[in-house]
Structures are given as C-alpha cells and as structure tokens.
Amino acid sequence: MGIIDHTKSFAPSPTDVGGKRNLVGLSVEELTEALTSLGLETFRVKQVWSWIYFHGATDFAAMTTLAKPVRDQLAEHFTVARPTVTQDQKSEDGTRKWLVRMSDGQEVECVHIPETDRGALCVSSQVGCTLTCRFCHTGTQRLVRNLEASEIVMQVMLARDALNEWPSTKDDRKLSNIVMMGMGEPLFNLDNVAKALRIVMHGEGIAIGKRRITLSTAGVAPMIKRCGEELDVNLAVSLHAVTDELRDQIVPINRRYPIKELLQACRDYPGLTNARRITFEYVMLKGVNDSPADAKQLVRLLRGIPSKINLIPFNPWPGAPFDCSDDDTIQKFGDIVNAAGYPSPVRTPRGRDIMAACGQLKSSSVRLSAAERLAIDKIIAEKEKAQGLDTKVPL
Ligand code: SAH
C-alpha cells in the first residue's frame, strides 16, 4: 500500500511555504495525521512537537534527536518556517511592534509590552475588524479576513524568536502573558482562536497557562459561554459606556447584544470569584462617558459580578473624533468605582509613539480591489451565518 499524500488531507494555509504544509498551528491530532501519513511512527509526534513549540526550531535540520533521513523526509514535505516580519519598531518605553506578512500578502500587527519581571504579547485575531467602534483605529479598516490558527500561533512564535526566549523553560520570561487584544474580534473567530490558544497552552510546548491568557471581547454575548467552557481563560469585556443609548453609538455591536444581555453572559461566566474577576475595559472619552454619574451607574450595573475595571486613557489617532479625558476626571471616576469595592487601575498608555497602544493598530497594507473585497465579504458572511452570527450591525 502506498503512503497517503498528506497534502490532500488539509486545506492550504497562508503560512504554508512553496506548497509545503506548515506544521506550526496544527493540533496534536492533525500533527499526528500529518506525520503518520509519511509512514512515521507516532512517538515522532512528541519529538516534533517539542522541537517546534518547546525549542522553537525554524527548520527540520535543527531537530537533532531525529535521524537524518527522517529530518530530510519531513523537510521534503513540510515546513516550520515563520511568516515575514516586514516592520519591527521599538517604542521609547520598550514596547515593540511587529508587522507580520502572511503568504497571501495580508498583514497583521502584534505588540510586546514589557514589564520589569514579565511581559504581555498583544495578539491579533483578524485582519482588520467588522466592529466599527468609533474610538478605535482598527475599526476604520475593513475586515479582510479571519486569521487561521497557524497565523495566530505564529505571532507568539515570532515574538519568542525576537526576544530570544527559547526554550520555553527559560527563566524570567519577558513574554509571560498573552492578551487577545490586537486587531479583530476574537469571539467572531473563536474556532481558530481556541485552536491556537490550546497550542499555546500545551504544557510540552509554549506552555503559557490559561491564567496568563486574557481574551478581550467587545461583547459577543452568545459566544462568551463557549469561551469560558472551552478555554477557561481570563475574560475582558470592552464596556466603555453605561447606557445602551451611548453604547449603541460608540460600540455598535451593542445594538445586537445590549448591555443587559452582555452582563448576563458575564454573570454566567464559569469560575468567577473575587480572586478571578472579569476585567471591564472602559476607555476615557472626554465629555462623552467620563462623568461621576457614569461612574455611579457603572457600579450599579456591575453589582454582583466579580469585576475589575480597567480605565484606559483614550489613545489618539489621526482624524479621531474624540479627546482623552483629563487626568483629574479619570482620577475622580476611578475613586468612585474604587470606593464601591472594585479595583480600577488606570492603564498606562504604552507604545503611543509607534502607534502600538490600545486601539491604534491598523495595517495600512490592506488595499484590495472591489472584487476581492466582495469575494472575501461573502466568505466571511457565510462563516458567520454558519456560526449563527450576523455581524452586519446596521449603522
Ligand atoms: N475586539 C476586542 C479586542 C480588541 S482589544 C475588543 O473590543 O475587546 C482592544 C481594546 O482597546 C478594547 O478594549 C478597545 O475598546 C480598546 N480601544 C480601542 N480603541 C482605543 C483607543 N483609541 N484608545 C484606548 N483604547 C482603545
């Protein structure tokens, strides 16, 4: 019996190189299938997994525990190569932003935010975004497509390469946490995000645990439960307004899932305790959502939900229709929320000088023809319909 042609068992991925399947981003099951299709024994899966995700190997030649003929055989059929980094910018505060180009030419940004003894990587889930939140730069860019699991995992791999943090056990990791807070709405691409995060969490590889991963959503209420049940990661919710009237305007997905429904989904999030709270993000927009009355209403809304409120000074971008609230307004707002028993730290803006702060991400590379856009819109609409979601919120 001949060997099965592995190239037929997977749909092509934008991280493949020269027609060779990229093994990065395959689940354990898929990797097993890929390797056994070449006639390799199953114990090889563990070895290859470890070379890819624990040691960060970028070619098969580095996989020295495998016999040379096995390495050659793998290299003939597969790749573990990274996508191209087309820009690598460093902020004066140490924040670093990479622009990553996939093989179809689409680009996404990811950002590393270092702290003294740790650091978070802000990862993108989509190219562009459908949400059109009024204060967000990414929202002014049309959604081009969902990222594949491999493209999400690659952001982590590339950051580890750049920070020189292989193998995974290295002490004092500067990439210790992951926040799904880059471009896109992760709950509109949950299948791929979940697959990618399961790879990232795997103990014999990258090994970043679920308590060090936070997924941020603008409020796709019906998907929140799945996120909790399947991934059990920390949840952040971009609330930003305390009345439906205002939230309808600045976070338009609120028209589909209003505050009450969103907060019910939060209340039901599995495993909440005071030691494990939902983070509510609240962007401070001068004269729009920053009054003491807003703060009091926020406290009323969150009653009974173990919460932490992250106050985010608005990060400006060219042509943005808002200003950031004054420092003392933010302080007063925070005091009211804090006095009600909710931690309310003010997020220090990081990487503003390289447009890497919250809401500033936007790759200018997205220039598709009208026909290409139409075709992509159709694919996305079908995918979302299949998930029971319609993201075309009427404006
Ligand atoms: N779509 C998800 C993931 C993006 S996370 C979500 O909405 O949660 C990015 C965070 O930055 C969100 O809380 C978003 O509302 C916030 N943000 C967007 N634009 C911003 C800006 N200009 N200034 C500060 N925060 C902003």
Side-chain angles (χ1 to χ4, degrees), residues 106-108 126-129 141-145 147 366:
Q106 297 301 339
E107 293 182 318
V108 289
Q126 299 181 305
V127 182
C129 193
Q141 175 184 341
R142 296 272 291 108
L143 173 77
V144 177
R145 64 172 174 79
L147 291 180
V366 181

Side-chain angles (χ1 to χ4, degrees), residues 135-136 181-182 184-185 216-218 238 240 281 283 312 314-315 358-359:
F135 44 83
C136 180
M181 293 188 184
E185 169 49 50
S216 178
T217 179
S238 298
H240 306 319
E281 293 154 287
V283 63
I312 316 177
F314 170 68
N315 291 308
C358 297

Side-chain angles (χ1 to χ4, degrees), residues 259-270:
I259 293 176
K260 198 164 170 229
E261 191 177 337
L262 172 59
L263 292 185
Q264 190 54 50
C266 293
R267 249 183 214 101
D268 296 340
Y269 197 69

Side-chain angles (χ1 to χ4, degrees), residues 179-234:
V179 292
M180 294 302 303
M181 293 188 184
M183 296 160 70
E185 169 49 50
L187 293 190
F188 280 155
N189 187 19
L190 186 55
D191 286 342
N192 292 339
V193 167
K195 185 175 170 193
L197 290 182
R198 275 194 285 269
I199 293 171
V200 167
M201 290 191 265
H202 196 291
E204 284 158 51
I206 297 172
I208 297 180
K210 59 187 182 180
R211 291 293 167 267
R212 291 175 178 267
I213 298 178
T214 301
L215 184 148
S216 178
T217 179
V220 189
M223 301 299 273
I224 287 178
K225 190 168 178 221
R226 244 192 83 192
C227 172
E229 285 174 352
E230 288 182 26
L231 293 171
D232 195 27
V233 292
N234 303 319

